[in-house]
Amino acid sequence: MAMDRRPPVPRGPPPPPPGPDWKRAVKDPSVPEGSMRILSRTVYVGGVQEWMTKDKLVGLFQGLRVESCFVNHPKFNAFIKMYTREEAEAAVQSLQGAMIDDMSVKISWGCGFGPKDHFDYMTGSIELTIDGMSENEKRWLSTSPRGGGPIEGGTVVEEPFVEGGWKPDPNAPRLLQQQQMAEGGDDGGMGMGRGGFGGGFGFRGGRGRGDWG
């Protein structure tokens, strides 16, 4: 039986239907005007054994609302997407050292949206330039029933809901630009060299590294 490590967030009904207050885009002076910061709602679980079912994994998150659970037994990991960033933070902070049937698992942030090489695993966030986003990424952000928000520079939003999970778009301007640079072209003035996220974002995060691959 899973160890009872209840995060301080009460169980409640599913979130209300999307409304004008549901998409929260918060202005943040630390985010460049041409970029958006997306806060992950995805929790990485490492050390997943073959006998650990979805029900056992979801059982770790008692008192929290789980949106989805993806288990990858060949890679011994799972990704649990929570309904809100607040619930994801509660899970990352309170489930360190959690156990399933006396077997410990690792809890940390997972990258649920955007390229994982841009993801900051310490803060559980990713910063993307708007010019570098694909049309699909913009659509997912602006129309998501949970998370996301208007495409506006200098803002922070929660990870949007993406049916089937986020996948790289080969037509994303940032990928086309990277290919051009690899072939010896210039960067077109898009500033693709700005990929480091070591500067403090000021958001709480877990330790470790988790991604969808």
Side-chain angles (χ1 to χ4, degrees), residues 4-5 8 11-12 39 61 69 92 98 100 108-110 119 121 126 133 135 140-141 145-147 149 182 208 212:
D4 187 4
R5 295 175 177 271
R11 183 181 297 277
L39 305 181
F61 297 81
C69 174
V92 169
I100 299 178
S108 62
W109 286 111
F119 189 73
Y121 289 91
I126 187 170
M133 292 180 188
E135 291 306 310
W140 288 328
L141 282 166
R146 280 183 293 281
W212 289 96

Side-chain angles (χ1 to χ4, degrees), residues 23-34:
K23 295 182 182 302
R24 295 176 292 177
V26 180
K27 274 287 189 180
D28 188 319
S30 71
V31 181
E33 279 301 317

Side-chain angles (χ1 to χ4, degrees), residues 15 38-45 57-58 61 64-71 78-89 91-92 108-114 119 144-148 158-166 212:
I38 297 103
L39 305 181
S40 179
R41 295 187 290 120
T42 300
V43 178
Y44 168 85
V45 183
L57 289 163
V58 171
F61 297 81
L64 298 170
R65 296 171 298 176
V66 173
E67 177 179 285
S68 64
C69 174
F70 172 77
V71 184
F79 297 87
I80 314 293
K81 194 180 301 294
M82 313 307 295
Y83 269 93
T84 65
R85 169 69 176 199
E86 180 183 11
E87 289 167 299
E89 286 182 340
V92 169
S108 62
W109 286 111
C111 180
F113 185 85
F119 189 73
S144 174
R146 280 183 293 281
E158 293 189 6
E159 176 189 333
F161 171 81
V162 179
E163 186 71 36
W166 180 91
W212 289 96

Side-chain angles (χ1 to χ4, degrees), residues 130 132-142 169 171-173:
I130 294 175
M133 292 180 188
S134 70
E135 291 306 310
N136 280 334
E137 288 169 336
K138 292 178 181 179
R139 175 173 56 82
W140 288 328
L141 282 166
S142 61
D169 185 341
N171 294 316

